[in-house]
Amino acid sequence: MPQAQTMDDIRVDFDAPGNVPKDRIVDLSFAMGTLPNDLVDPYEPCGWLAGPEIPRLLFNPPTRQGLGAVTGNQRGSWVVSHYEDIERVYSDNEHFSNAGTAEFQRLIGETFKSIPLAIDPPDHAKYRLYLMPYFSPSRITRDLEPRIRKVVTEMIDEIACKGEVDMAWDFGRVYPVRIFMGLMGFPDEMFEQFLDWEWDILHSGSLEKMQAALRGVLEFLRGFIAEKEKNPDEHLVSSIVHGKIEGRGLTDDEKIGMVWFLWLGGLDTVAATIAQMFRRMALQPELQKRIRENAGIINSAVEEFLRTQPILSSARTAKKDFAWHGIQIRKGDNFQCLNPSGNFDPARFEDPRTFDPERKANRHFTFVGGVHICLGAHLARRELRLLLEEWFRRIPEFRVKPGADTTVFPGLLSIRNLPIVWDVR
């Protein structure tokens, strides 16, 4: 569909539930990251949804294609697009539940939960506290940063003299997954199989492919857990299965629930961010130059890349009936938090569409929010910061390879290929 700019552009007819006003029913498929564009700021088409004139609750009919069509949302969803409302949905655990989120395993009849993502308070806290030490800033600095720096410098040195690389496929797709596999203790030879399974689960849109991939990965993970139970090592999967929660060992469902959740979340979110980050710098050489010449702003620049590249929009479910913004919400109603809108809300961010690598107080929703904020956020930030540090030390000004397609999906699908070039010194 053409880029929408007003409410009139997106209103649609749909036989919605009785608590949904007709004037709130809209088609927001253009804002869900499934339609590609070639803009420098690929999230620009949905930024207007955070404007003060936009109703605070919109309603998007059921998805008729892609992932939503095979995972079963046949009721439609309320969509919140303003920063203040997104913050409430993520933080108000009395009214909103995360149960069932990203539980693709249900498609093959599995009943274990994705832990801790799909667990609500108060039980969420014990699982979060159990896993958090492995992803704390101090642990990352002490145990992971040397490996991260070693991997990224080796990868950059391999391509520096070549003058070009496919930054999406050959670098962004590989670098964070190498770190993740080393952290978990997974065998290197599973690299391509993992990415194939992950692609089929998240991006194929085919129920048959999703189910086959789910069976494959869960069979592997259960076998890997069993191996670590017999032969423990120093890696994270082994630590998880041999640990204790509240003085007891973990159940089989808790073990697979944690390892599965980490597997699903560890494969392509950072990869998508890297591809979009380098695409923007290649298209905006002045931005690249500014960061290159002032390494002291790398941390804030990474945060701004994250704010302006919200890979995911997270969902919640209403836990009870309640009134909000003059509308009667019903227990079981689905909610979608439109992070690509909230991250550009002018009520929260000054001049939100301008990329400011020195922006202060940059509290965005790219890592979601509330108690379910991304467990690997500190690790992702460190991977991105170290990548920029080492890249600018070794690679001169780069640009998109002439004739290359710079189309991007503004979401997790992101960019499949991004060839960039530079002049070899």
Side-chain angles (χ1 to χ4, degrees), residues 275-293:
Q276 292 193 33
M277 182 169 73
F278 274 78
R279 176 185 181 273
R280 182 146 196 172
M281 288 191 293
L283 295 176
Q284 290 187 297
E286 69 279 5
L287 171 61
Q288 182 185 152
K289 184 173 185 291
R290 183 175 173 184
I291 301 172
R292 180 188 301 277
E293 294 178 353

Side-chain angles (χ1 to χ4, degrees), residues 1-13 23 25-30 35 45 48-49 53-54 58 60:
M1 64 182 292
Q3 290 184 16
Q5 294 294 331
T6 70
M7 286 290 292
D8 288 338
D9 293 332
I10 59 175
R11 283 197 177 94
V12 294
D13 291 325
D23 64 348
I25 304 172
V26 294
D27 178 4
L28 290 175
S29 58
F30 75 96
L35 298 179
W48 61 276
L49 291 168
E53 74 284 0
I54 303 301
L58 302 173
N60 198 37

Side-chain angles (χ1 to χ4, degrees), residues 27 35 103 141 145 179 233 242 276 308 337 386 394 414:
D27 178 4
L35 298 179
E103 292 193 329
T141 300
E145 182 166 324
I179 302 303
D233 58 29
H242 289 283
Q276 292 193 33
T308 57
C337 293
L386 294 177
R394 290 166 168 77
S414 195

Side-chain angles (χ1 to χ4, degrees), residues 406-420:
T406 55
T407 299
V408 56
F409 288 84
L412 188 60
L413 193 58
S414 195
I415 307 168
R416 198 71 164 156
N417 300 98
L418 180 69
I420 59 173

Side-chain angles (χ1 to χ4, degrees), residues 194-235:
F194 277 7
L195 291 176
D196 286 345
W197 279 334
E198 182 270 348
W199 179 269
D200 284 347
I201 292 168
L202 293 180
H203 306 306
S204 71
S206 162
L207 179 59
E208 183 179 358
K209 289 183 177 180
M210 292 175 74
Q211 290 174 324
L214 286 162
R215 292 187 184 98
V217 67
L218 290 177
E219 180 182 4
F220 170 83
L221 293 178
R222 285 192 167 108
F224 192 77
I225 289 170
E227 163 63 20
K228 296 308 159 189
E229 287 173 335
K230 296 176 184 176
N231 301 297
D233 58 29
E234 72 278 14
H235 299 294

